[in-house]
Amino acid sequence: MKEAIGVHSLAAASCRVARRFRLASILPRVAATLRTRLLLPRLKLYVVDVMAVKEEGDTSQQGKKSRSRLILRLGALLVAHSGLVSVVCCAAGIIAFILLPVLANNTYISENALMPGSADPAFSSQEVLDANRLTMDILNRGAAKASGIEIAKLLREYIVAVGAESYYHKFVPRANKFHPLHFFSSTTDNLDLPANPSCGSFILNAVGIIRAPRGDGKETIVLVTPYNSQNTTYSDAVSLGIGFSIISLLSHVTWLAKDIVWLAADSRYGEYMTVDSWLKDYHGPAFPGETSRIVDDACFEENNSDSLDHIKVEGHNSYVYKRAGTMAAALVLKVVDKKEKEERDSLSIYAEASNGQMPNLDLINIAHYLAVHRQGLRVKIGSIIYFLKASWVKLLGEMLQHITTLAKLLNPKWKLDITSADYVEGTATLASSIYYQALGVPTGSHGAFRNYQVDAVTLEFSPRSSLNNENVRSAFLLKTGRLIEGVIRSVNNLLEKFHQSFFLYFLTAPHKYVSVGIYMIPFGILIAPLPIVAAALFSSNNGSSNKDGSWKWLQAAKVDTHVTQVDGFGSVDWYQAVWILLVSRVLVGVVVRLAHICGEIVGTIPMVCGTMLMASGPVKDGVSEGPHWDLTKLVVLKKVFLRLRLGSTIDFFTSGGGGGLWAPGHLSGCPHQARRLSTMPSFSLAVSFVRLLVLLIEDAFPVEGTVGVSSPRVSAKLSVMTEQPPVARTAQEPIVAPGAWTNKVHLSVELECIDWSTHITSLGA
Amino acid sequence: MAALCRRFTGFHFLLVLVSLSISSLVFGDWIGDDEGEQFTEELLLKPLPDRKVLAHFHFQSTAHPSPDSGHHHHLFPKAIAQLIWNRAPCDAVGHFMVQKFQIRDLELSFTQGRWNYENWGGSDPISSTNAKPPGVELWATFNVPVVEIDTTWKNLTHALSGLFCSSINFLESSTSYTTPSFVFGLNVSNIRYGALPREAVCTENLTPWLKLLPCRDKAGLATLLDRPSIYKGYYHSQKLRLTSTKLSGIILEQTLTIVLQPNIQRNSAHSLLDGAIQPSWSISSMFKRNLTGSCVLARTSRILVELEKNIVSKLEELGHGGSWSNSLLDLSPNPFRVIKEVNPFPEESNSILFEYVNSKEYEPLDVGIKWKLPFVWSSPHAPFHASRFLMGSGTERGSIAISLQSTKSDEYFRSKSNECRMQAVVFQVVPWYVKVYYHTLQIFIDQKLQNLSDVIEKIRVTPSEDKKLPGTLELVLGYPCTVQSVALTLDFDKGFLHIHEYPPDANQGFDIPSALVTFPNLHSSRIYIGDDSSVHSPLLLKFQEKNVVLSYTEVLLVPFTTPDFSMPYNVITFTCTVLALYFGSLLNVLRRRIGEEERLMRSKDANKRGLIPSIVSKITSKLRGMPGSKPLLIFAVVLSVLFHYIVN
């Protein structure tokens, strides 16, 4: 009946249209055509579904039967063979995934304004002397007093002497917590000072600013050198020396267009935290004249016996926080003194920030270009050693080598050729790239910058032999200084901020990348079977028996609404997206990490299988409990699919990797009538498993200074707040603008595990 | 005929001679005449605490108030006179041109670099009149009825833009200028203010500026303007200030303020420790030019060297008050005269000016200072240092914060710290696409949030209007002098722009022009011991004026969301596709004959199979039906074409 009304109203509407176009003569024909050809099948389609049309077509009488369109029939075909399709898709996805190193392209500098290496470096032996002098001074003074502020004072003296502005940035260290999804939370850390602050509770960073002569001060380039004030190593001192020599050089160059800020970050309690709190103050209301000035006077003014009198001249505002415009890029500079000898000085580039965000590829490109083509450094990026040694990767590489040579015979234009060694190396690098992006934990203090939309990389230099050797050190300082000068000069040339090159990419070598256009194909293929299988379950239910079917659909709707009600209204999709994301993150971390740790002994495949089994847990649990397992599975599949897609907007590769791990597990889930896993054992299994992997993740970041995951509390802690954020913000609250959608959902999430198995099993009951 | 011709030429020659002599008489006449047109040139040199040197060129031309001489000027640049003529002449011919813009007051500055208020001074006359925001700043007051002001302003921007080879004409659009009501001291509605923070300043702006000088840069002090050396400096601001009154006529001040770094020989061994030693400099070493003689048309041409009061106090400590050659520094050559400042506080030392008269034609006047001892001093600061910054990140919203930080340097406050109340006027223009919520204004004094009504004495807000009007905030703050810091914040949303509204290089972000903070109850006037010479020095007269202490804040760069600029192309292709699909299917529907097709389908349906099986069956049936070579051939051809395609 409804259909008829719809058709009539549509016909009336088209009647009006037609009248307007003075086509009244053909009107009856149009109406008839619309009714028969166009509208009836479509309305049916909307009301029921793909399969419904088909089956109705089968059962209804011959006269009215009309063939559905090709695309619908293709869909029906896919749904009918959903098992085969999902197997094929999973296999194809995994193969496409394996092929990623083969599909990598060479990097190129996309932004023409960068012009790396087009100017001769001005960094000379003079600056090397400056660096050496500071290094020696730090080591001498640092050895004498380990109060933590001695080095900052020394640095400030040096910066002022060179003619740059300088101030101390002082803050109270917070608990070393990293929130991968911190942008969900609107709550800020309590910035209140402790009631009785003592001198030792502060951290003091020395900051130097070079104002660009004739520049307008709108933009700035940040240089960060972390050091540990309590235990200053030789390489820390050298990195500070390099930082200072760059400042000393740039203080008298004429070509600067952007200001330069040098942050000597005291990473006593972790460098990420230090840099992050400096950035927070930079982007927040850190107004000059902190209330804690009394403390300063008490703590830092006790020994005023400065040899250099002129520093006192502007001593009164040495704690005033100064800013220098919008940040264009940031470089974190580190020196690692390795004991073993190498043939060349080397540079390691770390770029992964939180939630798999990467800096613009151009920034890595210029660093790589200048390091390789100008300074002759060896550039390394992180790789997982297991894959370098694994024999199966080697075998795969050889196979691919043969295949690609064969492909090249077919068409010489295909640039697919890859040698086995390249493949192995590419796989290892890609694995590390994927691992860090999927884990969502930054690989260094550059990650703090990405939270403020600033492109940043960590450049970690290591000399070819020990830095105690005078010649080695001088040559090393010269090279690193020139490299950093070159990078700064390139960024300084930029008129616009970095936007030309990629933001979503994986590196398979320092000069090879896989862009998002390529790596989203495996992701797409992997999650494609989820909706297909869901549709298949849907159709099989619908088609089984008519009287039961309607009831079942009622049940399905009930299950669906039940899920929605349990989670809270409206925000459920985002809530579960984050949830899936976190669990995927953990799973990805486990797979790669376990592969790394267990190595040859256990092998990876059982591990992967194990995780997949775990991943399929919810389906199995829910399935075995409920009477309508297929409905539950259907709902779960639909949810997982939606959530993976939503999650991909937060962190693409976690969703991608999650898709790879979840999809097969979910698809293979089926009821086990015989082996009924009760909720409790499976939950405890999950808990123990998660505890293990949290430990493993913490093990992955053993270096203090790098980011540690918060304390492993294995508890469901995910609170959903659906209310709108307050419109009028207080001034103490730094403004984070993650995106429009967070207005709707504010989730405060801590990295941990969620008891998903109980959650899902509650559906079946 | 030839004789006539000769006689005619002779007569002509005589005429020329006579006219020349008359003109030379006139020439001689006005040089001595105080009431006529005048031109003076002066240069102030001043060592700055951070090892730099300030050079301030001051050229002043005046024109007689009445256009008695018609529209002809001897010295005064005609282009400028046309801009500001304030009395409409009666003749119909010149009427239109001359009456163009009746300007009462105009200031145009081109600046590159930022004035360093901490090191170069914030409360002296130079900083309060010649420290300008980066880019172009223009304000003018008009003598025309209020309704005509906007059109006059638009025409003026175009005229100036042509005159100075810059894009001042961008100030014509109503989104870029504003009408301040009380910031500039005058409570008038006929003032317009606009700034272009992104305007690049270079020699192409300097050349037309120099053209306004009677000697250009061919003689006199302007010969020092060697382009490479002045553009290598740290700050460069060329300014043009016009005032016209009925009493004094038109006064055109052209100033060029530059901060230069004298060459430092970087001593390899002691590059850090000799930081305290000031570099010695002289005119020839800084400008790479020698100064020989003055511009003959100039009434006065002099060079002044200023030593700040902190240097003088040090000199007094050492026991030589106003001497130019002592154990600390050596001024060469010997100055013509010493001019001392008179200070309201007798116990303090005052700044000293050493005057040189630039008259010798053949011997270069190479003024310079040689420092003998390491010495560090600081410049007089404004009571509060103003700075502005952005808070927040991301492309959705943020806040602007303006902070005033006490410099604690001014003895003025120490003397009467109890009931002293400070006033600060904040003037902030924000482009419309930065949507400021003025109700979110919050003021913190010493970190504590204040009740707005306690702090604000006067406020005027003009909210922005999309694509029409920039937002303007004028605010008078009153607070005790003893506070350490004042901060005010304003939240804003970043607007979305049409694709054609984005400027070139849109990915850089958008500029918010400098805010202006003035301290109306502080003046940077200096009183010099009354000798009659200062009367003749327009520069010193300028120093004695009561100028309000002010400071400009930084330009802000707001990153905006930028569309993919290839998007229009994508949109066009997408819409075309949708339209094609729509029309295709509509026509398809209209063309169909339903009855026929249904009948056909009914008959076909009986033996219908799937698509692929039907194709297969077709092929097989055809193959079976025709065992000949044709289909096989076609098949082979298709295959070979495919293979060829793949291979190539």
Side-chain angles (χ1 to χ4, degrees), chain A residues 247-460:
Chain A
I247 289 298
S248 138
L249 168 77
L250 296 179
S251 66
H252 63 261
V253 295
T254 49
W255 44 261
L256 271 187
K258 297 178 167 70
D259 292 355
I260 307 288
V261 177
W262 177 36
L263 169 67
D266 182 355
S267 55
R268 209 186 322 170
Y269 299 111
E271 72 186 63
Y272 183 91
M273 193 261 300
T274 309
V275 175
D276 190 45
S277 56
W278 181 76
L279 279 170
K280 198 171 257 174
D281 285 351
Y282 197 97
H283 293 94
F287 294 125
E290 289 286 342
T291 44
S292 55
R293 178 162 294 168
I294 311 110
V295 184
D296 307 335
D297 297 341
C299 294
F300 303 127
E301 307 294 325
E302 81 255 338
N303 40 5
N304 266 335
S305 57
D306 282 338
S307 55
L308 298 168
D309 276 12
H310 59 271
I311 289 165
K312 283 181 194 162
V313 170
E314 46 178 25
H316 67 275
N317 56 3
S318 57
Y319 292 98
V320 172
Y321 198 95
K322 289 176 188 158
R323 293 170 175 81
T326 311
M327 292 178 192
L331 300 172
V332 181
L333 176 63
K334 279 178 167 180
V335 173
V336 174
D337 199 358
K338 277 183 188 151
K339 291 287 171 273
E340 67 265 29
K341 284 195 171 186
E342 289 179 40
E343 59 183 87
R344 269 192 288 172
D345 299 339
S346 66
L347 160 70
S348 309
I349 300 177
Y350 298 96
E352 288 87 358
S354 56
N355 293 319
Q357 297 182 85
M358 295 292 279
N360 198 287
L361 188 54
D362 267 346
L363 189 58
I364 296 175
N365 285 347
I366 48 174
H368 172 258
Y369 178 85
L370 290 169
V372 171
H373 297 286
R374 289 291 182 273
Q375 306 307 332
L377 297 170
R378 206 161 71 87
V379 179
K380 294 188 280 193
I381 48 177
S383 57
I384 290 178
I385 300 159
Y386 164 70
F387 287 99
L388 285 175
K389 290 174 185 165
S391 53
W392 63 271
V393 181
K394 229 169 263 174
L395 194 71
L396 210 59
E398 274 160 21
M399 272 167 61
L400 281 169
Q401 189 179 352
H402 291 307
I403 292 168
T404 49
T405 43
L406 206 68
K408 198 156 186 188
L409 277 180
L410 269 177
N411 189 341
K413 278 181 196 164
W414 289 346
K415 287 174 183 161
L416 288 177
D417 53 328
I418 189 166
T419 62
S420 168
D422 275 353
Y423 179 79
V424 171
E425 205 159 307
T427 311
T429 317
L430 182 73
S432 126
S433 205
I434 289 174
Y435 171 62
Y436 284 113
Q437 285 191 37
L439 205 60
V441 181
T443 47
S445 48
H446 56 265
F449 285 94
R450 194 61 232 174
N451 296 340
Y452 297 92
Q453 283 85 42
V454 181
D455 296 296
V457 284
T458 293
L459 304 177
E460 189 184 276

Side-chain angles (χ1 to χ4, degrees), chain B residues 212-470:
Chain B
L212 304 176
L213 302 175
C215 295
R216 303 207 175 171
D217 56 347
K218 303 291 180 224
L221 292 176
T223 48
L224 290 177
L225 299 176
D226 173 46
R227 306 298 189 278
S229 23
I230 62 169
Y231 282 102
K232 224 164 66 183
Y234 281 69
Y235 177 78
H236 175 100
S237 172
Q238 67 181 72
K239 196 181 82 169
L240 182 119
R241 174 81 194 258
L242 269 176
T243 39
S244 75
T245 52
K246 284 179 183 172
L247 283 173
S248 59
I250 314 171
I251 300 170
L252 167 67
E253 286 166 41
Q254 284 173 267
T255 57
L256 177 69
T257 313
I258 42 184
V259 174
L260 297 173
Q261 171 111 52
N263 281 339
I264 314 168
Q265 266 74 45
R266 269 170 66 89
N267 193 336
S268 58
H270 308 285
S271 72
L272 288 172
L273 291 175
D274 64 3
I277 295 182
Q278 292 287 328
S280 302
W281 50 265
S282 68
I283 285 183
S284 60
S285 76
M286 277 196 310
F287 292 101
K288 309 280 187 298
R289 295 265 177 102
N290 284 327
L291 181 63
T292 47
S294 61
C295 170
V296 284
L297 299 171
R299 186 184 168 82
T300 51
S301 169
R302 69 183 96 193
I303 297 173
L304 298 161
V305 177
E306 187 185 345
L307 294 183
E308 273 174 8
K309 65 178 178 194
N310 288 330
I311 305 178
V312 176
S313 69
K314 177 79 177 176
L315 284 177
E316 280 167 359
E317 263 176 44
L318 291 170
H320 10 251
S323 78
W324 52 84
S325 183
N326 47 47
S327 57
L328 184 66
L329 55 89
D330 222 342
L331 196 63
S332 67
N334 289 347
F336 176 71
R337 191 171 23 197
V338 180
I339 304 168
K340 287 191 176 179
E341 187 201 342
V342 186
N343 203 307
F345 306 103
E347 72 274 13
E348 303 260 338
S349 0
N350 303 316
S351 64
I352 297 182
L353 287 168
F354 299 99
E355 185 188 329
Y356 295 87
V357 176
N358 173 26
S359 57
K360 290 174 196 158
E361 294 251 347
Y362 306 105
E363 192 186 326
L365 179 62
D366 195 13
V367 180
I369 285 182
K370 202 168 187 181
W371 293 88
K372 292 173 179 169
L373 289 175
F375 178 50
V376 175
W377 76 98
S378 67
S379 286
H381 292 169
F384 286 87
H385 177 69
S387 69
R388 190 176 61 163
F389 53 91
L390 282 178
M391 299 195 298
S393 66
T395 50
E396 195 191 1
R397 54 177 175 254
S399 338
I400 303 172
I402 298 175
S403 89
L404 303 173
Q405 169 71 23
S406 168
T407 51
K408 286 198 271 186
S409 62
D410 212 292
E411 64 286 342
Y412 176 75
F413 302 110
R414 261 181 273 139
S415 56
K416 39 176 182 175
S417 56
N418 272 339
E419 310 96 43
C420 157
R421 201 162 165 79
M422 191 78 209
Q423 264 195 336
V425 183
V426 179
F427 173 54
Q428 162 86 67
V429 183
V430 182
W432 66 264
Y433 38 78
V434 177
K435 298 177 193 305
V436 177
Y437 297 118
Y438 290 100
H439 72 278
T440 60
L441 176 69
Q442 285 181 318
I443 298 180
F444 299 86
I445 286 181
D446 286 342
Q447 251 57 96
K448 283 188 227 44
L449 185 62
Q450 301 289 314
N451 204 345
L452 289 187
S453 54
D454 297 345
V455 192
I456 296 176
E457 295 183 354
K458 195 172 171 188
I459 186 169
R460 185 174 163 271
V461 171
T462 320
S464 61
E465 228 175 290
D466 276 7
K467 292 159 203 181
K468 276 184 193 158
L469 216 63

